[in-house]
Amino acid sequence: MTERQQLLVKNVDNHRQMILEAERWLWQHPQTGYTEWEAHAYLKERFEKLGYILTEAGDIPGFYTDLDTGKQGPTLCIMGELDALDIAGHPESVNGMTHCCGHHGQGAALLGIAAALKEPGALDGLCGKIRLMAVPAEEMIQLGFREELRKKGIIKYFGGKQEFMARGYFDGVDLAMITHGGTENNDDNYDFRCNASYNGCVTKRMTYKGKAAHAGGSPNRGINAQYAAMLGLQACNDLRETFVDAETVRFHPIMLGVKSAVNIIPDEMKIESYVRGKTIEAIKRENKKINRALTGAALAMGCELELNDRPGYSPENEDPRMMKLAEQCCIDLVGKERVAFDYSSHSTGSSDFGDVTMVMPGLQFMVMGAVGTVHSLAYHVKDAERLCVNSAKAQLFVVDALLSNNAAEAKEIIAEYKPQYPSIKEFLEELDGFIMDKNAVVYDENGNATVDFQKV
């Protein structure tokens, strides 16, 4: 470690207890996307005590604040996510929700970074601005609730970072960084990991509409929406061998259940799912096939079908130069044997950080400290020191490496980056192209069907 890095470590250690207390408090107060008001209030109070002036989203949780080094240069955004998962079976769930993806650790680390940057000498030798951002709604869940928020005009996009982009909170940002809680495997002992890329996705709500009837006495008078949904999902399953392996397509629906008694033919069945893929092109192509299969099942059973597609998350690609720089920073902190950055690995999960990487260089890397599979009942924090305190230190090392020496590294990364979209505005226009509301099967008075399952 250099003398400068030792100072950064000391600055974080000065606030170690605050970071660990924040990790426990946030873990004990989980809330799902666009409802994270408790975490918002907790972090807001502590940021303001540190002297930060916040720009709050207002009608949704989340905020950002800028720290100016006083010297002209690029703006680096560092984020922490606020939301938890609805996973009621977890032994530590609160009101059916748990932070079993580690976002609470991001919030604690972000607070630690904010405090450390207020320490004497923290900004010495740096130029540009540092934007610290608490972001809601990374987990793409509760699609019906988010659709209601969209209809009310509260949000435009289901993902928090997309929504913040639309609100202008990323305007003026040149590059971005976030960490994510990871879990240990039995055969390794790493503190930091990084994949090179992640899938993107489109979100889907599908509603089969049939006709209720007495299930025993007159089933011939009904149209079973549940059977139509089952047939549609079987058709989708039969498409799986047509997916190209290299495009890592995933389709994982859940049936939301019927609202009728067992002796009534179900007249409605709702389904939620994503179509994930490695590229936007693959997502669009396979989503069209999925919609065709779902529509065919509705037609076969005489059901109507409503399709509601919304933009999910864009494929995420870590900036290779940022990745290399962060890898060295992590090695400087914990040693080479505890760092695993894989420049060819691809994850089939998705994150709205992918949307950020569409328009600016970005990096998301994993911080260990939890055990058990993420998004599972077994997930719990084993070592908050590694999950949160080490995270703050590693991120500050990256900040220093990017913005020191007249921000030479940051400027070269920005210059070499080739955005998939030249502006946030043009990117959001592409996202809007995923929005589709179709009555895919409609019948006339003679029972003839009109079929329309794709956006042309």
Side-chain angles (χ1 to χ4, degrees):
M1 247 186 279
T2 66
E3 185 175 334
R4 173 68 179 169
Q5 288 173 329
Q6 290 173 9
L7 172 66
L8 299 177
V9 166
K10 178 177 177 294
N11 288 348
V12 174
D13 284 338
N14 288 343
H15 302 279
R16 175 181 176 275
Q17 192 57 40
M18 179 192 69
I19 296 170
L20 296 177
E21 288 174 359
E23 184 275 328
R24 278 297 86 191
W25 193 96
L26 292 168
W27 173 265
Q28 293 162 1
H29 295 80
Q31 292 175 297
T32 51
Y34 292 125
T35 71
E36 314 97 316
W37 291 110
E38 289 184 317
H40 173 100
Y42 180 90
L43 292 172
K44 174 188 173 182
E45 179 185 4
R46 280 147 186 80
F47 267 75
E48 290 180 338
K49 280 185 178 179
L50 290 168
Y52 288 96
I53 298 173
L54 307 183
T55 298
E56 298 181 67
D59 53 354
I60 57 173
F63 60 81
Y64 74 87
T65 183
D66 285 342
L67 185 61
D68 197 332
T69 65
K71 298 178 182 178
Q72 190 171 1
T75 297
L76 167 65
C77 181
I78 306 173
M79 285 168 275
E81 294 158 349
L82 298 172
D83 58 326
L85 286 159
D86 49 351
I87 181 167
H90 194 283
E92 296 183 62
S93 70
V94 179
N95 298 321
M97 296 170 286
T98 319
H99 271 294
C100 56
C101 204
H103 292 179
H104 73 297
Q106 296 175 355
L110 188 70
L111 179 60
I113 291 167
L117 287 171
K118 290 289 188 177
E119 288 286 323
L123 302 180
D124 288 355
L126 304 185
C127 69
K129 295 179 181 178
I130 303 164
R131 178 165 294 183
L132 304 175
M133 183 180 287
V135 194
E138 188 275 335
E139 302 291 352
M140 186 59 77
I141 59 175
Q142 299 173 332
L143 304 184
F145 166 68
R146 297 190 192 191
E147 180 64 16
E148 288 302 311
L149 293 182
R150 196 184 78 89
K151 288 178 179 177
K152 292 175 182 176
I154 296 173
I155 62 171
K156 187 172 182 181
Y157 298 103
F158 286 2
K161 296 180 190 66
Q162 299 167 340
E163 182 65 21
F164 270 30
M165 292 168 81
R167 293 181 180 217
Y169 301 164
F170 282 91
D171 291 355
V173 174
D174 298 294
L175 61 173
M177 175 175 64
I178 192 169
T179 62
H180 199 288
T183 57
E184 303 171 20
N185 298 319
N186 294 328
D187 57 348
D188 66 41
N189 195 29
Y190 297 115
D191 285 316
F192 299 100
R193 288 180 173 273
C194 190
N195 295 311
S197 58
Y198 294 80
N199 270 1
C201 67
V202 60
T203 73
K204 305 181 66 60
R205 284 174 60 83
M206 302 143 275
T207 305
Y208 283 92
K209 298 179 179 180
K211 183 179 178 182
H214 193 292
S218 54
N220 55 299
R221 297 181 180 179
I223 300 174
N224 196 312
Q226 178 172 283
Y227 286 174
M230 293 166 63
L231 186 62
L233 295 185
Q234 181 60 51
C236 293
N237 282 333
D238 291 342
L239 286 173
R240 291 184 189 275
E241 67 180 23
T242 72
F243 299 157
V244 178
D245 291 346
E247 293 178 336
T248 59
V249 174
R250 298 289 188 273
F251 177 66
H252 43 86
I254 57 170
M255 299 175 72
L256 300 183
V258 297
K259 296 179 180 179
S260 63
V262 68
N263 60 352
I264 301 173
I265 297 292
D267 65 350
E268 183 177 274
M269 174 59 75
K270 293 182 181 292
I271 304 170
E272 288 186 0
S273 189
Y274 306 166
V275 174
R276 302 185 197 246
K278 195 172 185 178
T279 67
I280 289 176
E281 294 72 23
I283 295 167
K284 287 181 175 179
R285 184 182 65 248
E286 302 309 323
N287 184 54
K288 188 181 297 185
K289 288 161 59 176
I290 291 290
N291 283 345
R292 185 186 65 205
L294 295 167
T295 301
L299 190 62
M301 293 296 297
C303 273
E304 295 181 3
L305 171 63
E306 182 179 316
L307 297 173
N308 304 109
D309 289 352
R310 297 289 180 266
Y313 297 151
S314 298
E316 179 177 332
N317 293 284
E318 314 306 340
D319 184 88
R321 186 157 180 163
M322 281 187 77
M323 194 172 166
K324 192 69 177 175
L325 182 144
E327 180 184 25
Q328 186 58 56
C329 289
C330 292
I331 290 171
D332 291 344
L333 180 64
V334 298
K336 186 177 180 63
E337 70 282 355
R338 301 184 70 86
V339 177
F341 278 45
D342 189 334
Y343 293 81
S344 61
S345 64
H346 176 77
S347 169
T348 51
S350 307
S351 166
D352 60 354
F353 190 71
D355 298 287
V356 177
T357 68
M358 293 287 106
V359 295
M360 69 182 70
L363 176 68
Q364 176 170 209
F365 61 98
M366 311 296 288
V367 183
M368 303 303 118
V371 294
T373 304
V374 294
H375 291 215
S376 82
L377 305 183
Y379 181 96
H380 68 276
V381 175
K382 179 181 179 181
D383 190 341
E385 182 88 27
R386 294 167 67 202
L387 181 67
C388 306
V389 180
N390 270 7
S391 174
K393 291 174 181 177
Q395 290 182 81
L396 282 172
F397 279 20
V398 176
V399 171
D400 198 68
L402 286 169
L403 300 183
S404 62
N405 190 27
N406 198 32
E409 283 287 345
K411 289 175 181 177
E412 289 191 23
I413 288 169
I414 295 164
E416 292 178 4
Y417 175 72
K418 294 179 175 58
Q420 294 202 35
Y421 299 91
S423 69
I424 290 175
K425 178 179 180 294
E426 288 170 282
F427 167 66
L428 294 177
E429 288 173 354
E430 173 72 24
L431 279 191
D432 292 343
F434 280 97
I435 297 173
M436 186 186 80
D437 297 294
K438 291 280 187 180
N439 290 319
V441 183
V442 179
Y443 301 90
D444 65 16
E445 64 276 8
N446 297 316
N448 295 313
T450 302
V451 173
D452 183 9
F453 59 85
Q454 57 184 307
K455 188 169 185 177
V456 179

